[in-house]
């Protein structure tokens, strides 16, 4: 089991550019989460998918952020246009079923917007 | 939702037991206690969880007081690789909105 796979590990981009973060959840996990972590705000839930359907996107900061899950094995988080305040580590996590103990997190994408 | 209180930081000598406390005095009957940890530059990792009874797995033990208002995570033989931020989270099992506080930064010293 390769775990939750995120790419890229690091991304540096200029303000105004589009950024796409990618996630491959663990096979068989039907829930997928995107989190953002900063020193100031800690870990924040951005969006939650269950069976590829977005269930809760109330944590998405604004319209510049969008997320998709076209199939059970792939999800993207897109920021367009990016801003310096979007700089953070973005984590993808998946879990089987609905229990809170089954979360497996990816290694994260460190995004720097200059 | 029950809130948790953890000390911001703790030290422990390598090879000794690390005991991490968590207060959750407003916990309700159907809320579980979850422990996760985050090693530097990695995503959080599940450690253990419990409802009422003490629990043990290959990573740690969880001791929950009888009134459920506090709990202790025990790493029986801490190693340098256990240096991490440890999060205590209280939540009903069906609520995916985990509240990640500041946690306890545990430093294992040689």
């Amino acid at each position: 089991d390769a775990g939750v796979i995120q790419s890229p590990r690091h991304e540096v981009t200029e303000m105004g550019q589009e950024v796409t973060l990618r996630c491959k959840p663990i096979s068989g996990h039907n829930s997928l989460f995107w989190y953002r972590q900063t020193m100031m705000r800690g870990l924040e839930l951005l969006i939650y998918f269950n069976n590829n359907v977005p269930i809760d996107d109330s944590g998405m900061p604004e319209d510049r952020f969008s997320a998709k899950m076209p199939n059970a094995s792939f999800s993207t988080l897109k920021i367009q246009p990016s801003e310096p305040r979007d700089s953070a580590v973005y984590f993808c996590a998946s879990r089987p079923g609905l229990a809170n103990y089954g979360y497996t997190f990816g290694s994260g994408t460190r995004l720097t917007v200059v | 939702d029950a809130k948790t209180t953890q000390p911001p930081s703790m030290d422990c000598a390598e090879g000794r037991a690390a005991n991490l406390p968590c207060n959750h005095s407003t916990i309700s009957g159907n809320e579980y206690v979850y422990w996760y940890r985050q090693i530097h530059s990695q995503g959080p990792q599940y450690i253990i969880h419990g409802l009422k009874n003490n629990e043990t797995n290959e990573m740690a033990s969880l001791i929950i007081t009888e009134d459920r208002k506090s709990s202790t995570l025990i790493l029986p033989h801490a190693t340098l690789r256990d240096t991490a931020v440890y999060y205590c989270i209280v939540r009903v099992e069906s609520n995916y909105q985990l509240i990640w506080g500041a946690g306890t930064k545990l430093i294992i010293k040689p």
Side-chain angles (χ1 to χ4, degrees), chain A residues 44-114:
Chain A
E44 302 173 280
L45 177 63
L46 299 178
I47 188 167
Y48 159 48
F49 291 88
N50 189 49
N51 292 323
N52 312 339
V53 175
I55 302 298
D56 181 0
D57 65 355
S58 60
M60 296 286 263
E62 45 197 276
D63 291 345
R64 298 185 297 105
F65 285 69
S66 63
K68 294 183 179 180
M69 192 165 185
N71 56 61
S73 59
F74 185 65
S75 177
T76 59
L77 177 68
K78 186 176 293 186
I79 307 172
Q80 166 64 16
S82 58
E83 296 182 3
R85 60 193 168 123
D86 301 331
S87 297
V89 180
Y90 291 81
F91 289 104
C92 175
S94 69
R95 71 175 186 188
L98 301 174
N100 285 325
Y101 59 83
Y103 282 82
T104 301
F105 281 76
S107 298
T109 294
R110 181 173 295 276
L111 173 65
T112 303
V113 183
V114 297

Side-chain angles (χ1 to χ4, degrees), chain B residues 26-88:
Chain B
T26 59
I27 192 170
S28 59
N30 61 346
E31 288 185 305
Y32 284 73
V33 180
Y34 301 91
W35 283 85
Y36 280 78
R37 74 180 181 183
Q38 187 171 23
I39 296 171
H40 182 61
S41 298
Q42 298 181 23
Q45 175 191 25
Y46 166 77
I47 301 173
I48 199 168
H49 76 287
L51 182 63
K52 296 180 183 178
N53 300 322
N54 298 337
E55 303 288 343
T56 296
N57 63 21
E58 64 279 4
M59 289 183 69
S61 295
L62 174 60
I63 308 298
I64 303 175
T65 58
E66 194 169 341
D67 63 7
R68 302 186 71 237
K69 292 185 177 182
S70 66
S71 60
T72 301
L73 177 74
I74 302 172
L75 307 178
H77 304 288
T79 71
L80 298 179
R81 288 177 294 180
D82 292 321
T83 292
V85 177
Y86 287 76
Y87 298 97
C88 170

Side-chain angles (χ1 to χ4, degrees), chain A residues 23-60:
Chain A
C23 175
K24 176 178 169 56
I26 290 176
S27 177
H29 284 194
N30 59 357
S31 293
L32 183 139
F33 304 80
W34 282 100
Y35 280 88
R36 176 172 69 176
Q37 186 172 34
T38 61
M39 288 291 291
M40 290 293 293
R41 301 170 69 94
L43 268 164
E44 302 173 280
L45 177 63
L46 299 178
I47 188 167
Y48 159 48
F49 291 88
N50 189 49
N51 292 323
N52 312 339
V53 175
I55 302 298
D56 181 0
D57 65 355
S58 60
M60 296 286 263

